[in-house]
Amino acid sequence: MEGNQIKQRENWGSRIGFLMAAAGSAVGLGNIWRFPYTAGENGGGAFVIIYTIFALIIGISIMLAEFTVGRRTSLSAVGAYKSYSKKWTFAGALGVLSAFFIMGFYPVVGGWSLAYVFKSFSGLLANPEAIGTTFEAFMSNPIQPIIWMIIYLALNVIIVAKGISGGIEKAGKVLMPTLFVLLIFISIRSISLPGASAGLEFLFKPDWSKVNGATILAALGQAFFSLSLGMGCMITYGSYLSKSENLPSNATIVTILDTCIAILAGIAIFPGVFAFGLEPTAGPGLVFVVVPSVFAELGGAGVLFSVVFFIAFTVAALTSSVSLLEVVTSYLIDQKNVPRKTGVTSASIIMIATSILSSLSLGVMSGFKIFGAGIFDFLDILTDKIFLAIGGMFIAIFTGWVIKKEDLKEETTNGGKLKFSLFEAWYFLLKYVIPILIFFVALMGIFAIEQTSLMIFGVLLIVVLAIFSKKL
Ligand code: PHE
């Protein structure tokens, strides 16, 4: 049975429910935590331009491909690929593995955010000079961040255990708009700080001399990470989509929204970075230092704003990490026939263990390196810089070469009911342009990046997976 409806599937409660959930998956730490510091580390303006082009061209195309494959098969990543050809099982398996790896560090950062809700309450903003050192001390503490990470992960488990429309949709509906409004507010405050214009210049004025293979790969990886692509997440979400949804417009809306929020986060953060005399290359602590510093300027009201910001930030992270957990869970449900609760619990136990190691790698275990990287960075680089991009390449090849063109056309036009005038262009991109482009960007990046050996290890891991995945 080739990619047809196989069983009755839960559906999203409503159109807006799906959009919110897909946008909820996309908008998360990737936009607000990762985008600003990656842009900072990669020279600013030029990175932002390359990122935006990748998001709009490759991002929309791959997202549409994932929605299409998901809805066509009504199955999550592994099953979706497998229903066409056993040879492709590995591409789905790579997605599940990516979700596992990302969930080996994402909850650590989610935990930081949760902790900052409470820290904002208890006097974090009282001494603006100490905000930077507070973050450093907190992040490298062996116990505190682990406790917060576990609480954060427990919230994920509760949401995912309740099933698709119950938990995920509700959380997203209220807090996503709150986050958006707060980011606009912080941007306005940030821009009005003395010396802020240097931040906007950094963010928007490209310095092409800073661009090399590593920058381009960082932009591609960031686009995939931020849009939740290349690992079957949007296949899984698409599998719950009703047959009447307009896939091309959903993919476009989610991508544009996600990109706007990343850039908005940049506008909120960089003027502050320059105004407070911080370094744009400061790394993962950026948002945790700059945002409280902006709020500290506001006195008492700042505390309230900071609390609300970190609550909204935590929820944005949650709506993303539940989608990661859902990828693993739905794999266990669809392929291994385990009940939902068992799937969630067993997946999250492994995630806790990995996240503990990740958190410790930023402090007491910082001397322990795999291919030159601590565990946190190892998982981050492996997924963001290689697995997701290669996963995206596979989905493009799969949709372009394995699925029949008529089937794609039927699915994306809802059986001819919808007009999708860019179908041919999309198909051409998927079939030729995107796979070749990703291949070259990855190849250039692997050798331009500092961690070449880690990247080669990643590629070998994919090969091993391809060999052994038939059993999955
Ligand atoms: N897109 C999410 C974020 O930006 C992270 C994510 C990646 C979620 C991959 C699902 C899949 O935070």
Side-chain angles (χ1 to χ4, degrees):
M1 167 140 71
E2 210 189 62
N4 283 324
Q5 263 315 100
I6 291 173
K7 54 186 165 191
Q8 201 47 34
R9 193 127 175 120
E10 259 184 292
N11 264 326
W12 298 96
S14 59
R15 155 116 215 252
I16 192 80
F18 170 75
L19 255 185
M20 283 304 222
S25 165
V27 176
L29 296 174
N31 310 59
I32 297 159
W33 164 71
R34 202 170 199 291
F35 174 78
Y37 89 78
T38 310
E41 285 174 343
N42 285 285
F47 172 90
V48 175
I49 293 177
I50 302 173
Y51 169 82
T52 311
I53 294 173
F54 280 161
L56 295 183
I57 297 178
I58 303 186
I60 296 181
S61 306
I62 299 282
M63 191 173 294
L64 177 56
E66 293 205 12
F67 284 167
T68 308
V69 171
R71 191 174 70 174
R72 183 87 193 153
T73 57
S74 287
L75 287 168
S76 57
V78 174
Y81 277 113
K82 208 167 156 182
S83 69
Y84 279 90
S85 149
K86 270 218 166 5
K87 272 193 244 131
W88 277 87
T89 309
F90 79 96
L94 176 64
V96 176
L97 191 67
S98 304
F100 247 121
F101 281 4
I102 296 176
M103 282 303 275
F105 67 90
Y106 206 96
V108 175
V109 185
W112 295 347
S113 175
L114 198 54
Y116 265 60
V117 173
F118 293 87
K119 283 190 189 298
S120 304
F121 254 133
S122 56
L124 169 74
L125 312 184
N127 182 1
E129 272 79 60
I131 290 175
T133 45
T134 308
F135 179 75
E136 289 294 316
F138 168 68
M139 176 191 92
S140 54
N141 183 292
I143 298 170
Q144 270 201 33
I146 291 184
I147 295 176
W148 289 108
M149 177 275 287
I150 293 175
I151 301 175
Y152 176 83
L153 205 51
L155 294 174
N156 283 271
V157 171
I158 295 169
I159 298 175
V160 176
K162 279 174 74 181
I164 201 72
S165 49
I168 304 179
E169 280 187 41
K170 279 188 202 130
K173 266 188 199 158
V174 193
L175 278 132
M176 296 291 291
T178 311
L179 184 70
F180 191 68
V181 173
L182 270 170
L183 277 175
I184 292 182
F185 175 78
I186 301 173
S187 299
I188 296 171
R189 287 292 309 172
S190 191
I191 293 174
S192 60
L193 291 167
S197 58
L200 292 179
E201 204 166 293
F202 178 81
L203 193 63
F204 293 118
K205 205 165 150 205
D207 174 358
W208 296 106
S209 68
K210 296 223 174 88
V211 175
N212 61 22
T215 325
I216 300 177
L217 180 62
L220 183 69
Q222 175 62 26
F224 276 102
F225 185 89
S226 188
L227 293 166
S228 306
L229 296 178
M231 37 89 63
C233 178
M234 294 302 186
I235 298 184
T236 308
Y237 271 27
S239 73
Y240 301 110
L241 257 174
S242 94
K243 289 285 177 199
S244 59
E245 285 285 350
N246 182 334
L247 301 184
S249 85
N250 274 313
T252 311
I253 295 172
V254 174
T255 305
I256 291 179
L257 189 73
D258 184 79
T259 309
C260 288
I261 295 198
I263 291 175
L264 190 59
I267 301 176
I269 304 269
F270 280 105
V273 169
F274 284 83
F276 300 125
L278 300 165
E279 287 299 326
T281 50
L286 219 48
V287 63
F288 292 93
V289 177
V290 174
V291 169
S293 304
V294 171
F295 287 136
E297 303 260 313
L298 294 174
V303 175
L304 181 71
F305 281 120
S306 186
V307 169
V308 179
F309 173 81
F310 282 109
I311 291 179
F313 185 31
T314 307
V315 172
L318 268 173
T319 54
S320 301
S321 50
V322 291
S323 72
L324 288 157
L325 185 53
E326 178 66 24
V327 168
V328 182
T329 307
S330 58
Y331 160 71
L332 294 172
I333 298 175
D334 289 348
Q335 302 298 315
K336 302 284 168 211
N337 285 324
V338 304
R340 179 167 273 275
K341 290 212 165 62
T342 320
V344 178
T345 323
S346 43
S348 54
I349 287 173
I350 304 180
M351 289 164 186
I352 289 191
T354 329
S355 293
I356 290 180
L357 294 176
S358 277
S359 182
L360 293 177
S361 77
L362 302 173
V364 291
M365 274 175 66
S366 61
F368 179 76
K369 307 261 188 231
I370 318 173
F371 295 107
I375 296 169
F376 188 111
D377 293 339
F378 173 82
L379 296 170
D380 180 22
I381 296 169
L382 205 57
T383 46
D384 174 84
K385 297 255 161 52
I386 186 94
F387 281 10
L388 300 187
I390 301 287
M393 186 176 85
F394 288 145
I395 185 86
I397 298 176
F398 181 75
T399 13
W401 297 88
V402 179
I403 304 184
K404 282 202 221 82
K405 191 173 175 184
E406 307 84 73
D407 288 359
L408 285 177
K409 184 141 200 175
E410 191 195 305
E411 197 62 41
T412 47
T413 56
N414 294 357
K417 284 198 221 73
L418 278 176
K419 204 166 142 356
F420 177 27
S421 46
L422 290 173
F423 177 82
E424 291 296 334
W426 172 66
Y427 188 67
F428 184 76
L429 280 175
L430 283 180
K431 201 164 174 127
Y432 305 104
V433 182
I434 295 178
I436 296 172
L437 192 69
I438 296 181
F439 180 79
F440 281 109
V441 171
L443 196 65
M444 264 179 356
I446 288 178
F447 295 102
I449 201 172
E450 265 173 54
Q451 301 85 353
T452 303
S453 58
L454 170 49
M455 300 289 277
I456 293 175
F457 168 75
V459 174
L460 290 178
L461 212 57
I462 299 176
V463 175
V464 172
L465 204 63
I467 298 173
F468 291 102
S469 65
K470 301 222 170 52
K471 295 205 186 63
L472 295 167

